[in-house]
Amino acid sequence: MEQLIFKDYMKSNIGHQKDSSTIITLIIKQISRGRFELVDNICEVQILLKGERRTVILSNTIKLQEFREEMVWVSPKEPSLDLLYNNIGLNKEPLLIFLKNYQDQFYKLGTEFETEYWYKLYSKTEIKDGMRELYQAGWIDYEKQLENDTIIYDELGVCGIWAMPYHMLLKCFNESCKERYGDKLFILKTVSECRYIDDGKEIIGDRFEVIEKYDLNSIEDMGKLFEHLLNLEKNEHETKISELNAKIRNLESENTKALYKQKYLCNEIDRYARRRWGFLIIGIICGIIMCIFM
């Protein structure tokens, strides 16, 4: 497999090569998704260039801020790019150290998302759409993958597949999304041994387990879907109520302890005052007795 050197394609390189913008875009998007390997002081990134798989090499000869400057030219934007760009900030670490920290922090095992559901629109037939091509969103025959298993996966194993959280799903119930992505919907779970990046608006990984699927043109399926969403809302509210009740109980417990301490201190003050007055009276009596006998 042909290896490319990232630095050869940077805007700062006067002799940068053909397809530089495309290659830089593909590399940076892959890195933003956590999809790279750090081996022997180099970073290896897999990209698909004109249908061919290529490996791109990055090293510490590239300064982190130089890498960040290259991100300005990446288009179209994706949520993971914002995640990467914002985490670089004014950081001055060596590039590979930053990338390791980024991957450690955000590229997580599926077990860390095991309580969460994810949602994906899809189509049983291939969709031709300019925006899909712009984002390199290739079509996958998920129905065929599900004939013998409950797992959907990225067949090329390069870019991964996308799914969205509950709050983003509610923004996708429109004809535009159905035309672009499909009129079918998966409810998904992460796979424990796979890694994923969650940028807040989508999650990206190689494989997902299909929990349920719905036809958005079916009234019956839509009813089941809304029931699922209502249960999620109910569970979320019940969780929040439980958390609030726990906080109230803790506050009540703290208040009880505080009142007990206050009462204890008041009693101690009273006892101290009584002892003080007792000693004073004893002192006066002793003084009077000494005066009488003198």
Side-chain angles (χ1 to χ4, degrees):
M1 185 187 303
E2 181 183 359
Q3 289 189 341
L4 309 178
I5 306 299
F6 181 89
K7 200 164 188 175
D8 293 344
Y9 299 87
M10 293 170 63
K11 295 291 180 182
S12 58
N13 188 335
I14 295 175
H16 65 270
Q17 303 183 34
K18 183 181 177 182
D19 298 323
S20 291
S21 294
T22 300
I23 290 169
I24 290 291
T25 294
L26 293 175
I27 296 165
I28 291 177
K29 285 189 175 185
Q30 284 290 78
I31 289 175
S32 75
R33 301 163 190 156
R35 301 179 70 81
F36 56 86
E37 289 187 13
L38 297 167
V39 183
D40 296 332
N41 294 319
I42 60 170
C43 173
E44 295 184 356
V45 185
Q46 302 289 317
I47 63 170
L48 281 176
L49 181 64
K50 298 178 180 179
E52 292 185 20
R53 191 171 182 140
R54 303 288 182 88
T55 299
V56 185
I57 303 299
L58 296 86
S59 69
N60 281 330
T61 58
I62 305 162
K63 293 181 180 178
L64 184 57
Q65 290 305 316
E66 290 178 330
F67 178 82
R68 191 174 192 256
E69 288 169 9
E70 293 295 319
M71 296 185 69
V72 176
W73 306 99
V74 175
S75 180
K77 297 297 182 183
E78 295 177 8
S80 61
L81 292 172
D82 291 333
L83 180 67
L84 177 61
Y85 188 84
N86 293 334
N87 271 275
I88 294 175
L90 299 176
N91 198 320
K92 294 183 179 180
E93 291 177 324
L95 176 64
L96 298 189
I97 290 178
F98 169 81
L99 292 180
K100 182 181 187 308
N101 292 337
Y102 179 81
Q103 198 175 56
D104 288 345
Q105 184 176 356
F106 297 106
Y107 201 45
K108 300 178 180 179
L109 283 170
T111 49
E112 299 198 41
F113 305 100
E114 62 186 3
T115 62
E116 300 176 55
Y117 290 102
W118 305 91
Y119 305 86
K120 182 173 184 62
L121 292 171
Y122 74 102
S123 172
K124 289 186 176 182
T125 56
E126 186 171 1
I127 296 175
K128 296 290 186 180
D129 181 90
M131 286 298 292
R132 289 181 64 90
E133 293 173 7
L134 191 61
Y135 281 90
Q136 292 191 313
W139 180 76
I140 297 174
D141 189 349
Y142 294 117
E143 292 291 340
K144 184 176 181 180
Q145 292 181 352
L146 293 172
E147 287 177 357
N148 300 309
D149 203 349
T150 59
I151 302 295
I152 59 171
Y153 54 92
D154 173 18
E155 293 173 339
L156 296 173
V158 177
C159 297
I161 54 179
W162 283 251
M164 56 189 155
Y166 165 68
H167 70 273
M168 292 301 295
L169 171 66
L170 301 180
K171 299 179 181 180
C172 290
F173 284 128
N174 56 64
E175 290 304 313
S176 176
C177 284
K178 285 169 67 175
E179 289 174 4
R180 183 166 296 154
Y181 304 111
D183 55 4
K184 306 294 185 291
L185 178 73
F186 287 132
I187 297 180
L188 305 170
K189 285 274 197 178
T190 54
V191 177
S192 60
E193 67 273 15
C194 287
R195 290 194 175 271
Y196 304 81
I197 196 160
D198 174 13
D199 55 36
K201 293 184 178 180
E202 57 195 10
I203 188 171
I204 308 166
D206 274 330
R207 292 186 288 161
F208 289 89
E209 180 184 4
V210 176
I211 303 302
E212 192 57 81
K213 56 182 182 177
Y214 298 107
D215 183 344
L216 300 184
N217 298 310
S218 164
I219 295 176
E220 183 180 355
D221 279 7
M222 288 300 288
K224 292 177 182 177
L225 174 60
F226 288 138
E227 183 179 356
H228 164 80
L229 298 178
L230 286 172
N231 286 333
L232 280 186
E233 288 280 359
K234 180 182 176 183
N235 292 337
E236 184 177 349
H237 290 153
E238 287 178 349
T239 300
K240 288 181 179 178
I241 290 170
S242 296
E243 290 172 353
L244 287 173
N245 285 335
K247 288 181 180 179
I248 290 169
R249 286 193 297 272
N250 287 335
L251 288 173
E252 288 174 344
S253 176
E254 291 299 320
N255 286 337
T256 300
K257 290 177 183 178
L259 288 171
Y260 174 79
K261 288 179 181 179
Q262 184 180 21
K263 185 177 180 181
Y264 174 79
L265 289 172
C266 288
N267 290 336
E268 285 295 303
I269 291 170
D270 287 342
R271 282 194 290 271
Y272 175 74
R274 286 195 296 271
R275 284 197 298 269
R276 187 178 178 186
W277 278 108
F279 289 136
L280 181 61
I281 292 170
I282 292 170
I284 292 171
I285 293 171
C286 289
I288 292 172
I289 292 171
M290 289 176 69
C291 287
I292 291 172
F293 286 100
M294 289 178 67

